[in-house]
Amino acid sequence: MKWIAFFSQTGNEIINITQSINISPDIIVTNKQNIEPLEINKIFANKIYKMPNNPKEEDYFKLFKRIEIDTKATIITLHGFLRIIPNSICNNYNIVNLHPGLINKYPELKGIHPQKKATYLKHPIIGCVIHKVSPIVDGGEILLSASEESKYNLTDNLKVLKDLSLNLWLKYLTSEI
């Protein structure tokens, strides 16, 4: 299985995953324009491909043709990729995302800043899910979830969610790759 990882911010989650399971993506894609100072660039410079900041459908198809994606033997993971994936891409590729909100228990956590919402709403349980990416934001099939009791403050909840997220990615990727 070929693994392609997308990111928009730092790519640190990808680094943490690769250090934990000693498996790295075949290709890393970013829409971040200045990656020179990032740690991920220092580690994986020869594997990183750039897209426009606001990629359009044709940008994805052009990139996928360039990197020769086999739709049946490729998994695409999103790690803080802060863009909506076009419908045609969602429907034709195996793309999964980790959402840091327990949307299978609390659907109101779909969308932006679920960690803040869960803390503000005083949810007793916090967690994250890995779901298939679909044309509906955070609406794809949930593949895995993990949860823990809320700490009821954002700083502590963010620490818990970071650990839950890493462990969920490790579980998912070791079973898929």
Side-chain angles (χ1 to χ4, degrees), residues 1-6 27 60-61 64 67 69-79 85-98 130-135 140-143 169 172-173 175-177:
M1 181 74 63
K2 188 177 200 175
W3 174 24
I4 300 172
F6 278 63
I27 294 168
Y60 290 92
F61 283 122
F64 291 172
I67 60 179
I69 288 185
D70 176 346
T71 57
K72 292 183 172 126
T74 301
I75 186 163
I76 299 169
T77 58
L78 306 181
H79 304 272
I85 307 291
N87 291 0
S88 61
I89 304 300
C90 293
N91 292 331
N92 291 298
Y93 295 90
N94 183 17
I95 307 171
V96 296
N97 180 52
L98 186 137
I130 290 181
H131 66 89
K132 287 190 168 279
V133 174
S134 74
E141 174 190 357
I142 294 173
L143 305 172
W169 272 127
Y172 179 77
L173 289 168
S175 71
E176 291 295 318
I177 296 178

Side-chain angles (χ1 to χ4, degrees), residues 3 10-11 24 41-42 48 56 60 72 82 84 94 101 118 124 127 132-133 136 153 160 165 169:
W3 174 24
T10 64
S24 64
N41 187 55
K42 295 172 186 159
I48 298 177
K56 296 179 178 22
Y60 290 92
K72 292 183 172 126
L82 304 176
I84 303 296
N94 183 17
K132 287 190 168 279
V133 174
I136 299 168
N153 73 71
V160 168
S165 296
W169 272 127

Side-chain angles (χ1 to χ4, degrees), residues 81-123:
F81 188 64
L82 304 176
R83 296 294 176 261
I84 303 296
I85 307 291
N87 291 0
S88 61
I89 304 300
C90 293
N91 292 331
N92 291 298
Y93 295 90
N94 183 17
I95 307 171
V96 296
N97 180 52
L98 186 137
H99 184 73
L102 202 57
I103 57 178
N104 50 340
K105 184 170 177 65
Y106 306 112
E108 66 272 17
L109 298 180
K110 291 181 180 183
I112 193 167
H113 304 305
Q115 316 91 322
K116 290 179 183 177
K117 288 180 198 172
T119 303
Y120 174 77
L121 294 170
K122 296 185 178 2
H123 287 166

